[in-house]
Amino acid sequence: MLGTVLLLLALVKPACPSLASATSRRAEALKKLLEVFGMEDPPAPPAHFKQPPQYMVDLFNTVANADGVTKNPDILEGNTVRSFLDKTHSKEMQFLFVLSSVAKNEKILTAELHLFRLWPRSTDGPKRHHFCQVSVYQVLEKDKLDTSEGKKLLATRLVSLQTSGWEVFAITPAVRDWTEDENSNQGLLVTVQGPGGNSLDPPPLQFASGWGHHESKKPMLVLFTDDGRRGASLPVAGFPGGSPMPVPKLGRSRSTRSLERLQPCQRHPLSVDFEEIGWSGWIISPRGYNAFHCKGSCPFPLGKNMRPTNHATVQSIINALKLSEGVSSPCCVPDKLYSINLLYFDDDENVVLKQYDDMVAGSCGCH
């Protein structure tokens, strides 16, 4: 996949005498590059400036370094994290999340409801609860919410009344139902009761709603999925310390076959600038990354610093001794590939974190 990306990037600015031809080649190259990122068309940038949820920003910084390169492939569950804001914009404790942007081939792994707990109301009298019971229900029939037929319990637990902050509830069964049947999505209902399940009027605990609260505190659904897109390389750890690997300092080639004195196989920088490509309007992070590419000769004899495979070593010997016609010398190619992460706005202005395999050449060798 990386070789395809490098070729496409080379086509983005073609040195072509015909402007029309250059424009056509650029459009074709960007379309192919979008396919690498699993898209048919680039998402439209948000109509107005929009701050991504802090949770998604923090998650990106946990998973990736500043260039988007994965720190540890085991941190993220699946390869896609989607966030959705509540669409009801109501003061009531009912929430609705539109999941139309979730692709049919995405496997639902985990779904979480994130609610921001406000500071509790002050109560009159000496008696004060220290905890309350918060329950989250999947709405089945809106006109029967007072009955067991109208809702299904998803999660319940005691929540402290002494602090404020985020509360997270697992609601995976409901989201799986909604993605299988879009019409079944009637939203969620959240109730607040006393520790024993008794009603409290007014409830001592409130969560920030989609109405009248800051964007950073609005109710949010976070969905962890896997779209089945996996690279061909074996899983490998991220760059040590989250930083790119240094380019190996290899000795100069002993080859005298050319006056150019080709350098030995090694890794070279290859910058991918999303702003230059025209994608900066919808990509939040990173602004670009270093894909690196492999270039250089694989002369006989192949030393260990060339990181040759056994097959490459045998091929090098056959080529040097001319034991068989048509056998070329080994090629300089990536022998380790790393994934990158993109944080971006989709067409519905939801924020998505997506991981793409085999996007960065971690090291090079003769194969």
Side-chain angles (χ1 to χ4, degrees):
M1 179 182 289
L2 183 66
T4 303
V5 175
L6 302 184
L7 175 61
L8 296 174
L9 292 172
L11 294 175
V12 170
K13 283 190 171 181
C16 181
S18 169
L19 179 61
S21 177
T23 302
S24 175
R25 284 167 65 83
R26 176 184 172 87
E28 182 182 1
L30 291 179
K31 182 176 179 60
K32 292 294 184 182
L33 190 56
L34 276 171
E35 291 177 5
V36 172
F37 287 97
M39 303 176 186
E40 293 184 3
D41 299 296
H48 305 285
F49 174 77
K50 192 172 183 179
Q51 193 74 28
Q54 190 60 44
Y55 173 83
M56 297 298 289
V57 175
D58 292 342
L59 183 60
F60 175 86
N61 292 331
T62 299
V63 170
N65 66 14
D67 292 329
V69 180
T70 304
K71 295 178 181 178
N72 186 328
D74 297 326
I75 294 178
L76 197 62
E77 183 181 12
N79 61 6
T80 307
V81 185
R82 298 181 180 274
S83 62
F84 305 85
L85 296 181
D86 172 47
K87 296 297 184 181
T88 62
H89 305 295
S90 170
K91 295 180 181 180
E92 303 298 325
M93 297 285 277
Q94 294 188 37
F95 309 102
L96 179 67
F97 302 95
V98 178
L99 308 181
S100 56
S101 59
V102 180
K104 295 297 183 182
N105 65 323
E106 287 187 54
K107 181 181 179 181
I108 307 299
L109 301 176
T110 302
E112 299 174 344
L113 174 64
H114 291 224
L115 298 176
F116 188 83
R117 184 177 71 251
L118 302 173
W119 283 102
R121 296 170 173 171
S122 58
T123 56
D124 297 329
K127 185 176 182 180
R128 178 183 175 89
H129 293 286
H130 295 286
F131 294 91
C132 63
Q133 181 175 300
V134 177
S135 301
V136 180
Y137 295 89
Q138 176 183 353
V139 177
L140 303 178
E141 296 185 52
K142 289 184 177 180
D143 57 350
K144 296 183 179 180
L145 287 180
D146 293 334
T147 69
S148 59
E149 298 177 355
K151 59 185 183 293
K152 180 171 70 175
L153 181 64
L154 297 172
T156 185
R157 69 164 175 268
L158 294 178
V159 173
S160 172
L161 294 174
Q162 308 302 313
T163 60
S164 67
W166 287 97
E167 292 288 339
V168 178
F169 301 89
I171 58 168
T172 308
V175 173
R176 285 178 176 161
D177 287 346
W178 299 340
T179 53
E180 290 177 5
D181 179 8
E182 188 176 340
N183 295 325
S184 69
N185 186 358
Q186 301 296 310
L188 300 169
L189 170 68
V190 176
T191 63
V192 178
Q193 299 173 305
N198 55 305
S199 298
L200 299 175
D201 189 22
L205 175 64
Q206 277 191 319
F207 293 101
S209 65
W211 183 90
H213 293 103
H214 191 271
E215 189 84 14
S216 64
K217 297 179 180 178
K218 289 185 177 181
M220 181 172 64
L221 169 64
V222 178
L223 188 56
F224 296 83
T225 70
D226 195 302
D227 62 9
R229 291 166 57 92
R230 281 289 180 263
S233 63
L234 294 174
V236 292
F239 291 129
S243 302
M245 293 175 60
V247 177
K249 298 184 180 297
L250 304 180
R252 293 181 63 83
S253 171
R254 297 179 182 177
S255 175
T256 57
R257 291 174 297 175
S258 170
L259 295 176
E260 297 177 356
R261 300 188 66 184
L262 292 176
Q263 294 292 315
C265 175
Q266 57 187 302
R267 197 175 70 149
H268 297 266
L270 175 60
S271 176
V272 181
D273 189 328
F274 292 131
E275 183 173 1
E276 185 177 353
I277 294 173
W279 291 1
S280 59
W282 54 276
I283 293 181
I284 302 168
S285 290
R287 291 303 181 187
Y289 73 101
N290 196 340
F292 293 100
H293 70 115
C294 298
K295 184 173 66 174
S297 63
C298 294
F300 175 83
L302 293 178
K304 289 184 178 180
N305 59 348
M306 300 288 185
R307 304 168 67 91
T309 60
N310 288 336
H311 181 273
T313 299
V314 172
Q315 181 174 332
S316 175
I317 294 170
I318 299 298
N319 171 263
L321 298 181
K322 309 297 183 185
L323 297 179
S324 180
E325 293 184 5
V327 177
S328 62
S329 62
C331 297
C332 179
V333 296
D335 59 3
K336 280 188 179 180
L337 293 168
Y338 297 104
S339 60
I340 66 165
N341 301 264
L342 289 190
L343 188 68
Y344 64 91
F345 291 104
D346 67 12
D347 283 322
D348 297 326
E349 298 189 3
N350 299 312
V351 175
V352 180
L353 170 62
K354 204 167 185 68
Q355 194 170 91
Y356 300 90
D357 288 345
D358 299 350
M359 297 297 287
V360 175
S363 62
C364 303
C366 293
H367 288 204

